[in-house]
Every structure is written in structure tokens, then in C-alpha cells.
Amino acid sequence: MAEITKLIHKYLRHDKKFPHVWCPGCGNGILLGSLIRAIDKIGFEKDDVVLVSGIGCSSRLPVYVDFNTLHTTHGRALTFATGIKLAKPRLQVIVIMGDGDAMSIGGNHFIHAARRNLNLTAIIVNNNVYGMTGGQFSPTTPYGAYTTTSPFGHIEHPFAISELAVTAGASFVARGTVYHTNVLDDIIEKAILKRGFAVVEVISNCHTQYGRKNNMGSAVDMLLWMKKAAVTVEKAKNMTPEELSGRITIGVLVDRDLPVFTQEYQKIREEASKKWATATKFA
Amino acid sequence: MSDSKTTQGQVLVLQGNEAMVEGAIAAGCRFFAGYPITPATEISEMMAHRLPAVGGTFIQMEDEIASLGAVIGASLAGVKAMTATSGPGFSLMQENIGFACVAEIPCVIVNVMRGGPSTGLPTRVAQGDVMQARWGTHGDHPIIVLAVSTTKECFDITVRAFNLSEKYRTPVIILSDEVVAHTREKIQLSHPEEIEVFDRIKPSMPPEWYIPYEDTPRGVPPMAAFGDGYRYHVTGLIHDVRGFPTERSDEIQAFLTRIHRKIYNNFSDIMMVKEEFTEDAEVLVIAYGSVARSARRAVREARSRGVRAGLIQLVTIWPFPRQVIEPLLRRVKVVLVPELNLGQISREVKRINQGRTRVEKLNRIDGQLITPNEILSRLVKL
């Protein structure tokens, strides 16, 4: 335990930003730990990592960590990250978003980022609710759930974040929970190392806003719910849709090699250079 | 980079939009993100054509919000960046313009104005976004807005926009309009040695001494690029000198005062107007953009008919060049402000005039240009 604590302290901005804003028991802290362990294991220099986020509880994460950090406008984190990556491709750009941030206001940016296939890592913390604004329904709130804006039960159907990412063309898609930290460490590491657009959906708990309204108990109860609901990708292959209903599939869902934007653009640069070298006058 | 990749010193027939691309590249712009919209599209098209050959990057984003987001990201990573759009796209960008103001990110935003509101008149000229450029995003913040009226100015003012942006760590908006954007003119492009290029001040102290939003005597703190060894936090929240969110009223006040001060203390450097016959003018025309060309012709014509007319062409629109105009308002008998809206700049002129002299408007909002004759016939009657 002491070793883990020491490792995390190495990466935190302890001089200014604590105590943090998260509620006791929030899954965001667990994700922060996983992320730091993954980056430390890969061995990146702090200077080479850029953490970008949008707006929301999970998007407050970058402020605590001693990297180049950018807290952007709501839903737009991936667009800022796109500019950083294109301007300095050597930087490891990791984007942290919440489900409301990435899927609602940022839904369009998300599918286009997946399609464009820049070498970015997108981590989406899915707690089924808008936590920071006080518990309104989000694009991932399940049908029938109670929130402050669905006081009679939610009548819309949720987005499946990972499945959407697969369809939109992401190179790598994985899902984890804040209960299964070993799996989470592992898939975050794989996602960061992947060349191409990598998405990690992290199922997390908002016991304060979502759990309380839906009688899901304490933070611990919600973690135990994740433990019970989770099923690995391998196991899920042999299960029927009925058996899988209400379960959370965890692990790597898709890992494929697709041409990366920056690589493709380098070809354009070379071709353009040749063309301009032979042109005598402005085209 | 071989010379053939550049257009330096060439005499070319270009439209305003194309000249802006050449100006941007001459100023060191190496990143462009945009979304197609009439009448700004040629800027994107030319950037896609020109940037890769000079080692830059062009990207067409999914919308205008994304475009400015990418531009801000690129600028934070140390590359001079720009986007171009028109009315509706400019409206979408407002949120991120505010971000660039509060996080002090240099970038250039071109708005080729067209008729509005809403989708309005995509292929027709207008000057309806003067106030949106000033006040479009929420909250109190300063902004620099420049207006272009000729193809040559599209080149020169774009260079100037980048320089001001880098110097004061602020977004700079260029207001063009459909007529300026699409008028083809012969221009002589400058050689690099003729162009003054200003790059942002980078920190020179060791990283542990760097305070990213420190109040320096200039009011403009040095700016480190991501990946250069200075790790710091950038946020759209009001922040302290280290970049971390704050709600302490003494820090809020100090920060917002500084970002205003850095612009207003450098007023004389930022302000640019072009004057003609103002020394002895009795009738003063104040114009900008494509209308300034009609106004110039009208003023010259009026002079030849014995009317003591003078022209002030606004190049800097915001901050409003009050210091130049105010002394003239004490002297002239009447001021005429022709513009392609119902009076956005004439309102500003009236505000600083404080009833000293007569201020007349000449407005069109039908998608047509104001002709020299229209201005002239008003001038001789004033």
C-alpha cells in the first residue's frame, strides 16, 4: 500500500490543489490512480504527457496531476486535443471526459474523432448522470431511472458508449469499472500504447446523485453492484443476449490497426512539397 | 524550404480570401482548422493547398466550435494558428473565443461577414457582426478586432493580426466582408524581409520558477508551449497566477483587470486608422471594410467639387479608436458613418461624440454595397 501511495504522490500537484472536489467514495479517484499507474508503468516523462478534459466532475481530474494539463469548454475536449496532437505529434495526449460531456454536447466531436483516427486516448467516465450540476439525466442514464430531470422515471434510451465508438471507427475500444482496478490499469495502459484513436469507457459510481435517487445504496454498494454485474469479454462470447442483459462487459472490445491521421498527413506534406517544388508560379 | 514553395515578392491577381492565406503564412501561421461556409470557404481551400507544403497542417473539422477548439489546442502546443468563418459559424465560435480570452491563447479568427441574422444572405455583403465581434461571448473581456477593405490589406492586416495576437496573448478577430473576400485585385506580395513578424515571448526562467499567469510589467506573461518542459494548468475558469481555478475575490479582480489592462495600456500600438484629408476637414466620413473604398472615392470626388471632406478608415475597430476620432469631433461640422448595418459603428461614434457635433448615418441592409455616389450625394447635402 505504501508503495502505491508513494507512486501517486510523485505525480500529484500537492502544493496547491488539495483537498480535491470529489465526494468521498467517488470513482474518479480510483481512475486517477489507474491512470497514474499506467503512465508510470509505460515510463513516459511528465513533460511528454498532456491531459485534456472537458467540464464535469471527472473533468476536474487534470488539475491534480503534474503534467501539461488543459481544462477546456464543455464537450469540446477532443477538439482541443486534436489541435495539440497535430501541432506536436510527439506529445501523448490523453483526454478525460464524463458521459454527459462526451456523449451529449460532445457527441458529434466524439464520433468524428473516432472516424478521423488521430493517435489520442479518450477516457470516458460513465456514471449515468450529470454529477456536477446536481444529478440530471445524461445520454447514458438507463431507461426508467430516476434523476432530478426525470422525476417520473426516464423515458429515453441510453447510448452504449463503447459500441458507438466501435461503429464510429475507433482503433481500440475497451470497457472497465472502478471496481476492477487491475483490469482498468491494464486496459488504460493498452489504450495509451495503441497507435490510433483509443477509447476506454470506465463505469463509475455517482452514489451522491444517481445512486441515492435509485436506491442503489452507498459507494461500497455500488462497487459491489459493479462486481456482480461485470462479465469479461471472453465469458460474454458464450452468453445469450438474455443472460447479458443488465451485465457490464469488461475488457478489450476492439483492437484493430487503421491508418493514423498524422501518418497520412505526412504523405500529403511530401506530395505537396514535390508539387510546389516543380511549380514556377503560384497555382 | 525552397523559394518556389512560397509566393514571396510575386505580383499576383488574388481575391481577398486568398491574400489572407498568403498573409497568414508569411506571418508564420502553420495550423488552420475550419469548416466550410460561404463566403469564407476559399480561405480553407487555399490553406489545404498551401499549408502542407510549408510543413503546416490543415484540418477540416466537424463544425466551427471544433475548429476553434483545435486552433486553441495547436496554439497551446506552440504553433501559430488560425480559423476562418462567416456569420453563423462565428456565432458558434463565441464560447471558445471566450476561452481563448480567459486562458490568453493567441489565435486569429477571420469572420467574412455576410447578411444576417441566422443563415441570412450567404452570398451577399453586410457588416452586421461588428457588435458580435466585441460582445459575442459572455462576460467582461477585452478583444482586438481589425477590419480589412482591400486585397492588399487582407495580406497586411492578417500579418498584423498574428503579431498583435502573439504580442498580447489574445485572440484577434479580423472582420472581412463578402465584397472584400471575393474582389480580385493585382497585388505585389511582400518579401519576408519587408514583413515584421512578432513571436510570443517564451519563458526563459527554469521551469520551477515559471508562473504562467504572473503579472509582468507588460501585463502579458510569457507563454510556454506544452511539451517544452514547463508543466502548468490551463483552464477556462478564472484562475490564479499559477493557472489554478480560484474564487478569491482579490485574485478574480486582479486577473480580469490585468487582461483588460494589457490591451488598453497598449492602445497606441494596437490602434490603426487610415486618414485622408482630415487636417482641414469640415465633413468627416468614418467607414471600414468594403464601404471604406466607396467612402474614399466619394471623399476625393467631394474635394474636387470644393467640399472639405475627410475620411477616417477604421482598421482597428475594437478597442474603438476613440483617441483619434475624439479631437476631430471637436473640429468638424458633421460626421457621416456609412455602413452595411443599421448603425453599429455610428452608435459607437455617437457615444464618444457626447453631443459635440452632428452624427449622420447612411445604412444599407439589403445585401448591396454602398456606392461612392450614394455617399457623395449625402456628403454634398450635409
Side-chain angles (χ1 to χ4, degrees):
Chain A
M1 201 63 194
E3 281 307 303
I4 295 174
T5 317
K6 227 187 268 172
L7 173 65
I8 290 174
H9 284 179
K10 179 180 153 193
Y11 287 90
L12 296 184
R13 285 171 167 155
H14 35 76
D15 54 338
K16 180 81 185 175
K17 283 330 295 174
F18 289 90
H20 58 65
V21 294
W22 299 319
C23 304
C26 175
N28 284 330
I30 300 173
L31 166 67
L32 174 59
S34 270
L35 181 68
I36 284 174
R37 285 190 294 276
I39 290 172
D40 187 73
K41 193 173 165 203
I42 297 167
F44 288 139
E45 294 290 322
K46 284 183 182 179
D47 281 333
D48 293 337
V49 178
V50 182
L51 276 191
V52 186
S53 70
I55 298 293
C57 295
S58 56
S59 288
R60 287 296 181 99
L61 188 148
V63 75
Y64 304 115
V65 203
D66 188 24
F67 296 129
N68 302 285
T69 53
L70 173 61
H71 180 223
T72 68
T73 41
H74 188 43
R76 322 295 176 201
L78 282 168
T79 71
F80 285 65
T82 298
I84 295 168
K85 189 70 189 178
L86 288 175
K88 247 187 207 162
R90 72 169 169 87
L91 293 173
Q92 292 295 331
V93 185
I94 301 165
V95 187
I96 315 280
M97 295 166 283
D99 48 284
D101 192 57
M103 290 295 114
S104 196
I105 189 166
N108 197 35
H109 305 311
F110 179 76
I111 54 174
H112 287 282
R115 171 183 70 80
R116 195 169 283 134
N117 203 31
L118 267 157
N119 189 13
L120 296 172
T121 312
I123 297 173
I124 300 163
V125 182
N126 181 3
N127 59 10
N128 306 111
V129 78
Y130 285 91
M132 190 163 266
T133 40
Q136 299 78 22
F137 70 76
S138 87
T140 56
T141 299
Y143 178 81
Y146 296 96
T147 69
T148 58
T149 47
S150 59
F152 306 105
H154 194 37
I155 54 168
E156 298 174 19
H157 303 279
F159 260 140
I161 298 177
S162 294
E163 284 72 9
L164 180 67
V166 173
T167 315
S171 290
F172 179 96
V173 181
R175 190 191 284 119
T177 81
V178 292
Y179 176 82
H180 303 85
T181 46
N182 291 341
V183 179
L184 195 58
D185 288 11
D186 182 52
I187 60 177
I188 289 178
E189 185 193 340
K190 282 187 177 135
I192 294 171
L193 289 172
K194 178 71 190 177
R195 272 188 65 78
F197 191 71
V199 177
V200 180
E201 178 186 0
V202 184
I203 307 296
S204 185
N205 55 298
C206 183
H207 46 284
T208 310
Q209 305 290 7
Y210 183 76
R212 194 163 45 122
K213 282 250 177 210
N214 291 283
N215 293 322
M216 293 177 85
S218 66
V220 174
D221 294 324
M222 289 188 80
L223 285 166
L224 292 173
W225 154 70
M226 285 175 220
K227 179 190 181 187
K228 218 169 131 190
V231 49
T232 61
V233 175
E234 293 75 30
K235 218 171 175 184
K237 276 180 194 148
N238 301 318
M239 289 167 74
T240 62
E242 292 77 41
E243 287 173 318
L244 279 172
S245 146
R247 308 296 294 267
I248 304 162
T249 321
I250 59 169
V252 178
L253 305 174
V254 160
D255 185 355
R256 52 192 169 191
D257 289 316
L258 300 165
V260 175
F261 186 98
T262 38
Q263 236 173 343
E264 296 285 299
Y265 201 80
Q266 196 49 40
K267 288 187 211 160
I268 288 181
R269 285 205 189 106
E270 281 155 26
E271 199 174 320
S273 288
K274 266 187 246 157
K275 197 180 161 195
W276 278 93
T278 52
T280 50
K281 267 276 182 185
F282 183 71
Chain B
M1 195 200 312
S2 73
D3 280 350
S4 55
K5 275 183 210 163
T6 70
T7 51
Q8 299 153 2
Q10 291 190 25
V11 178
L12 299 168
V13 177
L14 295 180
Q15 52 169 233
N17 278 346
E18 293 168 334
M20 276 189 166
V21 173
E22 294 309 318
I25 288 172
C29 172
R30 291 297 178 268
F31 183 87
F32 182 94
Y35 186 81
I37 184 167
T38 305
T41 311
E42 293 85 0
I43 299 176
S44 280
E45 290 172 343
M46 283 306 297
M47 282 291 191
H49 194 65
R50 296 277 285 121
L51 273 177
V54 295
T57 308
F58 163 85
I59 187 166
Q60 183 171 311
M61 296 297 286
E62 54 273 17
D63 60 30
E64 288 86 349
I65 304 171
S67 302
L68 190 51
V71 160
I72 292 170
S75 184
L76 263 169
V79 173
K80 289 188 191 178
M82 168 180 177
T83 185
T85 187
S86 184
F90 190 59
S91 300
L92 287 178
M93 284 179 184
Q94 294 299 338
E95 178 194 36
N96 279 344
I97 293 175
F99 184 93
C101 287
V102 86
E104 298 180 80
I105 317 282
C107 57
V108 173
I109 301 141
V110 178
N111 176 6
V112 183
M113 291 184 285
R114 65 190 218 182
S118 190
T119 328
L121 291 161
T123 61
R124 297 287 175 193
V125 69
Q127 295 178 316
D129 302 344
V130 173
M131 285 295 169
Q132 191 190 189
R134 177 65 193 90
W135 299 111
T137 184
H138 60 279
D140 283 317
H141 64 83
I143 194 85
I144 298 175
V145 180
L146 310 175
V148 288
S149 82
T150 66
T151 307
K152 181 76 173 104
E153 278 177 21
C154 284
F155 184 95
D156 297 339
I157 301 304
T158 305
V159 174
R160 190 172 165 75
F162 272 98
N163 287 346
L164 291 174
S165 170
E166 294 281 317
K167 211 170 180 176
Y168 299 111
R169 283 191 67 176
T170 179
V172 173
I173 295 163
I174 305 177
L175 290 180
S176 178
D177 60 56
E178 193 276 333
V179 166
V180 175
H182 288 153
T183 301
R184 286 187 185 277
E185 287 183 278
K186 187 173 109 173
I187 65 164
Q188 161 99 48
L189 292 181
S190 315
H191 285 279
E193 59 273 16
E194 299 163 350
I195 300 170
E196 188 201 358
V197 171
F198 194 97
D199 296 328
R200 68 190 70 165
I201 308 286
K202 291 190 166 185
S204 52
M205 65 286 275
E208 60 273 22
W209 290 8
Y210 179 52
I211 302 171
Y213 292 97
E214 189 177 22
D215 191 356
T216 62
R218 277 181 70 230
V220 188
M223 182 177 176
F226 280 174
D228 282 2
Y230 296 83
R231 297 182 302 276
Y232 65 108
H233 186 61
V234 180
T235 176
L237 292 165
I238 301 291
H239 41 266
D240 61 18
V241 292
R242 295 200 174 271
F244 296 124
T246 181
E247 288 189 340
R248 272 177 51 180
S249 52
D250 58 333
E251 289 179 340
I252 300 169
Q253 180 93 14
F255 167 70
L256 286 175
T257 309
R258 176 175 65 74
I259 64 169
H260 279 88
R261 198 183 68 212
K262 73 178 180 183
I263 303 298
Y264 292 108
N265 276 4
N266 294 292
F267 196 85
S268 55
D269 181 41
I270 294 164
M271 188 175 52
M272 194 175 162
V273 297
K274 292 188 176 177
E275 296 184 54
E276 200 163 319
F277 309 120
T278 48
E279 309 79 28
D280 64 339
E282 287 179 339
V283 182
L284 181 68
V285 182
I286 298 175
Y288 56 96
S290 53
V291 177
R293 304 187 79 167
S294 295
R296 178 166 290 112
R297 171 82 181 274
V299 164
R300 287 176 187 171
E301 194 70 25
R303 279 270 159 180
S304 72
R305 294 188 192 181
V307 179
R308 276 159 68 180
L311 171 71
I312 285 190
Q313 180 199 333
L314 305 177
V315 176
T316 306
I317 292 195
W318 305 111
F320 194 72
R322 178 181 188 141
Q323 280 86 329
V324 178
I325 294 171
E326 229 170 8
L328 288 169
L329 290 174
R330 293 200 188 95
R331 225 170 57 206
V332 299
K333 288 185 182 141
V334 59
V335 178
L336 178 67
V337 188
E339 53 185 331
L340 297 171
N341 57 54
L342 285 179
Q344 298 190 17
I345 284 292
S346 64
R347 182 192 173 101
E348 193 64 17
V349 173
K350 282 177 191 163
R351 186 180 72 79
I352 64 165
N353 179 51
Q354 301 278 331
R356 285 190 195 97
T357 190
R358 188 153 62 96
V359 178
E360 293 276 322
K361 303 196 294 177
L362 173 54
N363 309 103
R364 272 195 100 132
I365 50 163
D366 59 354
Q368 302 297 318
L369 197 59
I370 297 177
T371 63
N373 274 341
E374 280 175 82
I375 298 173
L376 181 64
S377 57
R378 275 294 288 278
L379 270 184
V380 293
K381 277 185 234 156
L382 287 169

